[in-house]
Amino acid sequence: MRNDAMKKGAGYSRSERGGAWSERCSGKRDGGRSDWKRHDSCPLARACGGCQLQDLRYQDQLLWKQDAVEDVLGHLGPVAPIIGMKNPVHYRNKVQAVFGRDREGRIISGIYQPGTHRIVPVRDCMIEDETADRIIGTVRTLMKTFRIDPYDEDFQTGCIRHVLVKRGFSSGQVMVVLVVGTPQIPSKADFINILRQRHPEITTILLNFNDQHTSMVLGDEPERVLYGPGYIEDRLCGLTFRISAKSFYQVNPIQTKALYEIAMRMARLTGKESVIDAYCGTGTIGLVAARNGAAHVLGVELNSDAVHDAVANARRNGIENAEFVCDDAGKYLKRLAAEKQHVDVVFLDPPRAGSDEQFLAALIRLAPDTVVYISCNPLTLERDLRYLLRFGPYEVKGIQPVDLFPHTEHVESVVLMSRNM
C-alpha cells in the first residue's frame, strides 16, 4: 500500500523537481564523505569533464552512486546494493571523436570541453576502447599524410568532422564511420587501404555526410559503405546482434549482460507471457526475453534503422516468437489499449529524458501485470514512477542500480512494478 506522502505532488511535468541529474548530485559530490579515499585523476579530467567521479576510488564511486539513487528513489521502494564492474576501465565499445586544429595548426581529435566549442585533445582514455583510440590516432596521422583538412563548421571548409568507432567486444568486429562535411575524401581509396592495412581488425568502413550546424555527430542521410558489410555483429546473453552506425546498442556490454539478466529475473517469464519491449532499439531486451520464456514479444521503436536491425537480429538468431514495428511507443500502446489487447509484461528502456505522459497513460490503460523499467536517469525515472503510482494500480517491488558507466555520475537502474490485484 502506498502512503499519502508518496502521492503528494505526483502529477506529470517534464520540468518538475528541477535540474539535471548532475546538478542534483553536485552538492553530494563536492561535499563528499570524510572516509572517501581520493587518488590522482586523469590529467584531462578537469578539461574533459567526462569522468566526474574519477578522483574517487572505485568502491567509493559505488557508495556515492548508491547514496544518490537512494536519495532520489528510496521513498518509492527498496533499493538493492549497486552492482559494480570487476575491471572498470576501457569499457566503452563506442567511441566518437571530433576533429580540428590547435593554435599551432596541428590536427587534433578529442571531445568538446563542456559548454564550449573548444576541442580537448584526447589520445587515449581510460574508459574508451583501446582499439578505437588507436584507430582514431591513425586517422589523425593519415589526414596529415594525405593533406586532408578537418572540417570547419563556421566556414564550411575542410573534410573530416568526426570519426565514430564501434567494436563488438565478443566478436572483435570493428566499424569505422568517417563523418565528413564535404561529400568526397581526397585520395579516398588510398586512405582507406592504408587504414585497413594498419588495422586489419576493421571489418567495415562507412562514410556519413553531415554539413549541418548541429551537435549531432551523424548526419541524417544514409551512410555509404566504403568497405565491408556496413554493420558489425556482437554476442550478448547468448544471442548475436547486428549493429549499424545509427542504431542504439549499450556502450558497456559487460554490465549490460548483468542488467538484462536482472530484468529477466524480475519479469519471471514462464513461457505463457505476452511481452512488449518499448523503445526497443535493435531488439536486445525483447529478443533476450523471447529466448528466455516469453510466449510472444512485440518490440516498438521509432528509429527505422534500429527496427531494421531488430528484424535482422531475430532472423539471425532463429527467433520466430518476436516481431518489431516502427512507431512511436506511446501512440502504439494507446492503440493497443483502445483495442483492449492483453499484455502480461512490458519492458521499457527510454532515452535519458524518460518516457512521456502519453506512453504512461496508455501503459496504465493496458494494465500489464508486470512492468520492468530500465533507466539511465534516476530523476526522470522517479518522475515516471510517481505518475504510475499515482494514476495506476502499481506498486514498486524492487529497485536495482547497476554501474554501466564507471568513473562518471551516471547510473543505470532496473525497477520492478507489479499490478495490485
Side-chain angles (χ1 to χ4, degrees):
M1 180 75 65
R2 304 190 303 278
N3 58 39
D4 291 338
M6 191 181 302
K7 297 179 183 179
K8 185 178 180 181
Y12 189 93
S13 169
R14 278 196 173 273
S15 61
E16 67 183 350
R17 298 181 70 93
W21 170 245
S22 58
E23 294 172 355
R24 175 78 173 244
C25 296
S26 60
K28 176 182 289 291
R29 183 179 70 252
D30 295 339
R33 283 172 37 164
S34 60
D35 59 341
W36 277 349
K37 304 298 184 182
R38 299 182 178 273
H39 62 78
D40 292 335
S41 62
C42 166
L44 297 177
R46 290 186 179 275
C48 164
C51 295
Q52 304 88 358
L53 303 184
Q54 200 176 65
D55 62 337
L56 297 179
R57 292 186 314 181
Y58 185 57
Q59 289 304 314
D60 289 332
Q61 292 181 29
L62 295 178
L63 288 174
W64 184 95
K65 294 185 180 187
Q66 183 76 31
D67 287 349
V69 172
E70 289 178 354
D71 284 350
V72 176
L73 300 175
H75 66 289
L76 300 178
V79 180
I82 190 170
I83 297 174
M85 284 192 77
K86 290 182 179 179
N87 186 28
V89 293
H90 302 299
Y91 59 82
R92 286 189 64 91
N93 60 10
K94 172 187 172 183
V95 178
Q96 55 198 39
V98 59
F99 281 71
R101 292 188 183 273
D102 63 15
R103 293 179 179 177
E104 285 72 40
R106 294 170 298 196
I107 295 174
I108 59 173
S109 64
I111 66 169
Y112 287 122
Q113 188 173 17
T116 76
H117 215 59
R118 187 180 80 83
I119 298 175
V120 178
V122 178
R123 291 184 174 272
D124 55 76
C125 171
M126 68 177 292
I127 68 171
E128 293 177 350
D129 177 60
E130 293 175 289
T131 297
D133 282 345
R134 287 193 291 268
I135 290 171
I136 291 169
T138 298
V139 171
R140 281 196 310 269
T141 301
L142 293 181
M143 287 174 66
K144 182 178 179 180
T145 302
F146 287 94
R147 298 182 178 180
I148 299 173
D149 291 326
Y151 184 72
D152 188 305
E153 183 178 306
D154 295 326
F155 295 98
Q156 294 187 312
T157 59
C159 183
I160 293 182
R161 186 171 183 174
H162 303 275
V163 171
L164 168 65
V165 182
K166 295 185 177 185
R167 186 171 79 88
F169 276 20
S170 177
S171 68
Q173 296 178 16
V174 177
M175 170 193 294
V176 177
V177 184
L178 304 172
V179 183
V180 296
T182 52
Q184 296 296 328
I185 298 178
S187 306
K188 180 180 65 180
D190 292 336
F191 182 94
I192 296 302
N193 285 337
I194 294 177
L195 181 61
R196 288 178 52 207
Q197 288 172 13
R198 296 191 183 179
H199 296 279
E201 65 272 20
I202 295 174
T203 53
T204 192
I205 302 175
L206 300 97
L207 189 71
N208 176 274
F209 179 64
N210 184 2
D211 66 348
Q212 302 298 306
H213 283 272
T214 175
S215 60
M216 301 298 291
V217 172
L218 297 177
D220 294 331
E221 295 183 15
E223 287 73 31
R224 287 170 50 199
V225 178
L226 304 180
Y227 167 71
Y231 60 88
I232 61 172
E233 293 183 332
D234 199 24
R235 296 279 296 175
L236 180 66
C237 295
L239 300 174
T240 299
F241 292 99
R242 170 173 164 167
I243 306 163
S244 62
K246 291 191 176 82
S247 60
F248 174 78
Y249 188 72
Q250 290 281 8
V251 299
N252 185 338
I254 296 170
Q255 290 296 88
T256 298
K257 181 175 182 292
L259 186 78
Y260 289 175
E261 288 173 349
I262 292 164
M264 294 306 124
R265 287 200 297 271
M266 287 182 170
R268 292 178 293 181
L269 301 173
T270 65
K272 301 177 182 179
E273 290 80 10
S274 172
V275 173
I276 286 180
D277 178 11
Y279 311 95
C280 72
T282 58
T284 48
I285 298 172
L287 292 175
V288 172
R291 181 58 61 85
N292 288 275
H296 181 264
V297 173
L298 174 63
V300 187
E301 169 61 46
L302 193 57
N303 184 311
S304 59
D305 289 328
V307 172
H308 184 273
D309 285 346
V311 172
N313 287 333
R315 188 182 308 116
R316 175 74 171 79
N317 290 281
I319 293 176
E320 298 181 351
N321 60 328
E323 60 180 312
F324 299 91
V325 296
C326 185
D327 206 337
D328 176 84
K331 293 179 180 177
Y332 197 86
L333 255 67
K334 186 177 181 180
R335 291 198 296 271
L336 290 182
E339 296 168 0
K340 301 188 183 303
Q341 296 285 339
H342 175 74
V343 175
D344 298 295
V345 179
V346 171
F347 294 96
L348 65 152
D349 186 3
R352 186 170 298 278
S355 190
D356 56 37
E357 187 169 8
Q358 176 177 249
F359 178 92
L360 298 174
L363 179 62
I364 290 170
R365 286 187 62 195
L366 199 61
D369 294 333
T370 301
V371 176
V372 180
Y373 193 142
I374 300 173
S375 170
C376 61
N377 186 338
L379 287 182
T380 56
L381 172 60
E382 194 267 355
R383 177 201 66 200
D384 293 349
L385 293 179
R386 283 189 298 113
Y387 184 96
L388 292 172
L389 290 171
R390 180 181 183 188
F391 298 108
Y394 289 102
E395 181 179 357
V396 173
K397 294 293 189 180
I399 302 167
Q400 176 64 69
V402 181
D403 190 20
L404 255 70
F405 316 102
H407 311 295
T408 77
E409 292 174 333
H410 303 299
V411 59
E412 202 90 1
S413 301
V414 194
V415 178
L416 170 62
M417 301 190 80
S418 295
R419 182 162 61 92
N420 294 320
M421 300 299 185

